[in-house]
Amino acid sequence: NKARPYLLAAGLPDSSWQRIQAMVLATDVSKGDTQDISPAEWLRGAFNGTLKKADAPKQLQVFFDDRDLATQAALLEDSDLGTSAGMPYEFARRMTALIAEETKVLSPTPQTLIGFIDHICRGTYITDAARQLFGNNLQTLRSLADEEHADTIYYWS
């Protein structure tokens, strides 16, 4: 929202701003205090046809009507997740440790990485392109995390 006045002053149409805002919002994997479904999950449901537009938050309903926008947002979401789940295992371990330190809620352990893969990534990427590019690595990360002791502590430095 802070960028909106600048983008509009630069000539961006308001309709384009709404699309950009929806795409950025769809990268949010948190559920918040009153939501059962994260914006990222709404995008996934719109893209895969598993959720209904009428139930979606107003800002995210555009994904049910505009397949091109849903595809662009899905690629953005997959790219965002790819920085964590498309890299070598040692990098995933360090990212898990950093996120745990940042949130102060998560633990820097294999269980957190497994939770990320199973619950945030849903075990796969949204688009075929990301599955082809990063899919095998995601499964490798999951297998390696499974092999570690649950009380292993990851360190980022």
Side-chain angles (χ1 to χ4, degrees):
N1 283 332
K2 290 182 181 182
R4 184 174 190 259
Y6 301 103
L7 293 171
L8 295 177
L12 182 77
D14 191 57
S15 60
S16 294
W17 166 253
Q18 299 302 324
R19 294 167 60 86
I20 292 168
Q21 185 179 29
M23 287 178 62
V24 171
L25 180 60
T27 65
D28 184 358
V29 298
S30 63
K31 294 183 182 179
D33 295 335
T34 60
Q35 302 167 346
D36 292 332
I37 301 174
S38 72
E41 289 173 296
W42 277 112
L43 168 63
R44 188 179 289 263
F47 187 82
N48 294 329
T50 57
L51 294 175
K52 295 179 183 170
K53 175 184 175 181
D55 298 330
K58 186 172 177 77
Q59 288 177 301
L60 300 175
Q61 289 182 359
V62 65
F63 296 128
F64 293 86
D65 298 328
D66 188 335
R67 183 65 180 178
D68 288 341
L69 182 63
T71 300
Q72 292 168 8
L75 288 166
L76 180 64
E77 172 68 8
D78 281 344
S79 297
D80 189 39
L81 295 176
T83 59
S84 296
M87 303 299 280
Y89 187 61
E90 195 54 43
F91 184 81
R93 291 179 67 170
R94 287 195 346 247
M95 294 307 320
T96 302
L98 283 169
I99 290 168
E101 183 176 312
E102 180 183 312
T103 64
K104 306 289 188 220
V105 175
L106 300 172
S107 305
T109 64
Q111 296 309 106
T112 297
L113 180 55
I114 290 167
F116 169 74
I117 293 168
D118 290 354
H119 302 291
I120 302 299
C121 297
R122 301 277 182 198
T124 189
Y125 290 93
I126 302 170
T127 63
D128 289 337
R131 283 191 292 276
Q132 289 174 15
L133 188 60
F134 298 124
N136 289 340
N137 193 69
L138 186 67
Q139 299 314 313
T140 299
L141 295 179
R142 180 65 164 81
S143 294
L144 291 170
D146 273 337
E147 291 173 7
E148 294 208 76
H149 295 285
D151 61 353
T152 298
I153 301 295
Y154 295 157
Y155 298 97
W156 61 270
S157 56

Short mmCIF file of all heavy atoms in Angstrom, two decimals, residues 5 23-26 45-46 50 68 80 87-88 108 124 138:
data_model
loop_
_atom_site.label_atom_id
_atom_site.label_comp_id
_atom_site.label_asym_id
_atom_site.label_seq_id
_atom_site.Cartn_x
_atom_site.Cartn_y
_atom_site.Cartn_z
N PRO A 5 0.67 5.20 -4.05
CA PRO A 5 0.65 6.59 -4.55
C PRO A 5 1.77 6.87 -5.55
O PRO A 5 1.56 7.61 -6.51
CB PRO A 5 0.78 7.45 -3.31
CG PRO A 5 0.99 6.55 -2.16
CD PRO A 5 0.78 5.15 -2.59
N MET A 23 -1.27 -10.07 -6.41
CA MET A 23 -0.14 -10.98 -6.60
C MET A 23 0.80 -10.97 -5.40
O MET A 23 1.23 -12.03 -4.94
CB MET A 23 0.63 -10.60 -7.88
CG MET A 23 -0.10 -10.98 -9.14
SD MET A 23 0.77 -10.49 -10.64
CE MET A 23 2.27 -11.43 -10.50
N VAL A 24 1.11 -9.79 -4.89
CA VAL A 24 2.01 -9.70 -3.74
C VAL A 24 1.34 -10.32 -2.51
O VAL A 24 1.96 -11.07 -1.76
CB VAL A 24 2.45 -8.25 -3.49
CG1 VAL A 24 3.20 -8.11 -2.17
CG2 VAL A 24 3.31 -7.75 -4.65
N LEU A 25 0.07 -10.02 -2.32
CA LEU A 25 -0.67 -10.60 -1.18
C LEU A 25 -0.66 -12.12 -1.23
O LEU A 25 -0.54 -12.79 -0.21
CB LEU A 25 -2.10 -10.07 -1.16
CG LEU A 25 -3.00 -10.58 -0.04
CD1 LEU A 25 -2.43 -10.21 1.32
CD2 LEU A 25 -4.40 -10.01 -0.20
N ALA A 26 -0.74 -12.68 -2.43
CA ALA A 26 -0.80 -14.13 -2.59
C ALA A 26 0.49 -14.84 -2.22
O ALA A 26 0.51 -16.06 -2.09
CB ALA A 26 -1.21 -14.48 -4.02
N GLY A 45 -5.74 -22.65 -4.43
CA GLY A 45 -7.09 -23.16 -4.66
C GLY A 45 -7.74 -22.58 -5.90
O GLY A 45 -8.47 -23.27 -6.62
N ALA A 46 -7.48 -21.30 -6.17
CA ALA A 46 -8.02 -20.69 -7.39
C ALA A 46 -7.34 -21.28 -8.62
O ALA A 46 -7.99 -21.61 -9.62
CB ALA A 46 -7.81 -19.17 -7.35
N THR A 50 -9.79 -25.84 -6.65
CA THR A 50 -10.25 -26.58 -5.48
C THR A 50 -10.97 -25.72 -4.44
O THR A 50 -11.51 -26.26 -3.48
CB THR A 50 -9.06 -27.28 -4.78
OG1 THR A 50 -8.07 -26.30 -4.44
CG2 THR A 50 -8.45 -28.33 -5.70
N ASP A 68 -4.81 -15.86 -16.44
CA ASP A 68 -3.46 -15.35 -16.69
C ASP A 68 -2.85 -14.75 -15.42
O ASP A 68 -1.68 -15.00 -15.11
CB ASP A 68 -3.46 -14.31 -17.81
CG ASP A 68 -3.67 -14.92 -19.18
OD1 ASP A 68 -3.46 -16.14 -19.35
OD2 ASP A 68 -4.05 -14.17 -20.09
N ASP A 80 9.09 -17.53 -5.01
CA ASP A 80 9.32 -17.16 -3.62
C ASP A 80 9.67 -18.40 -2.79
O ASP A 80 10.62 -18.39 -2.01
CB ASP A 80 8.06 -16.47 -3.07
CG ASP A 80 8.26 -15.86 -1.70
OD1 ASP A 80 9.34 -15.30 -1.44
OD2 ASP A 80 7.32 -15.94 -0.89
N MET A 87 16.92 -25.01 -3.29
CA MET A 87 18.36 -24.87 -3.08
C MET A 87 18.90 -26.13 -2.38
O MET A 87 18.13 -26.96 -1.93
CB MET A 87 18.64 -23.63 -2.23
CG MET A 87 18.09 -22.33 -2.83
SD MET A 87 18.79 -21.94 -4.43
CE MET A 87 20.32 -21.22 -3.93
N PRO A 88 20.24 -26.24 -2.26
CA PRO A 88 20.82 -27.40 -1.58
C PRO A 88 20.37 -27.49 -0.12
O PRO A 88 19.98 -26.51 0.50
CB PRO A 88 22.33 -27.14 -1.67
CG PRO A 88 22.49 -26.21 -2.82
CD PRO A 88 21.25 -25.36 -2.84
N PRO A 108 14.63 -24.18 15.07
CA PRO A 108 15.58 -24.43 13.99
C PRO A 108 15.90 -25.92 13.86
O PRO A 108 17.02 -26.37 14.11
CB PRO A 108 16.80 -23.61 14.41
CG PRO A 108 16.75 -23.64 15.90
CD PRO A 108 15.28 -23.64 16.25
N THR A 124 4.59 -29.88 -2.89
CA THR A 124 4.87 -29.65 -4.31
C THR A 124 4.72 -28.17 -4.62
O THR A 124 4.31 -27.39 -3.78
CB THR A 124 3.93 -30.49 -5.20
OG1 THR A 124 4.35 -30.39 -6.56
CG2 THR A 124 2.48 -30.05 -5.06
N LEU A 138 12.84 -30.55 -3.94
CA LEU A 138 11.92 -30.46 -2.80
C LEU A 138 11.79 -31.83 -2.13
O LEU A 138 11.83 -31.94 -0.91
CB LEU A 138 10.56 -29.96 -3.26
CG LEU A 138 9.54 -29.69 -2.17
CD1 LEU A 138 9.97 -28.52 -1.30
CD2 LEU A 138 8.18 -29.40 -2.78
#
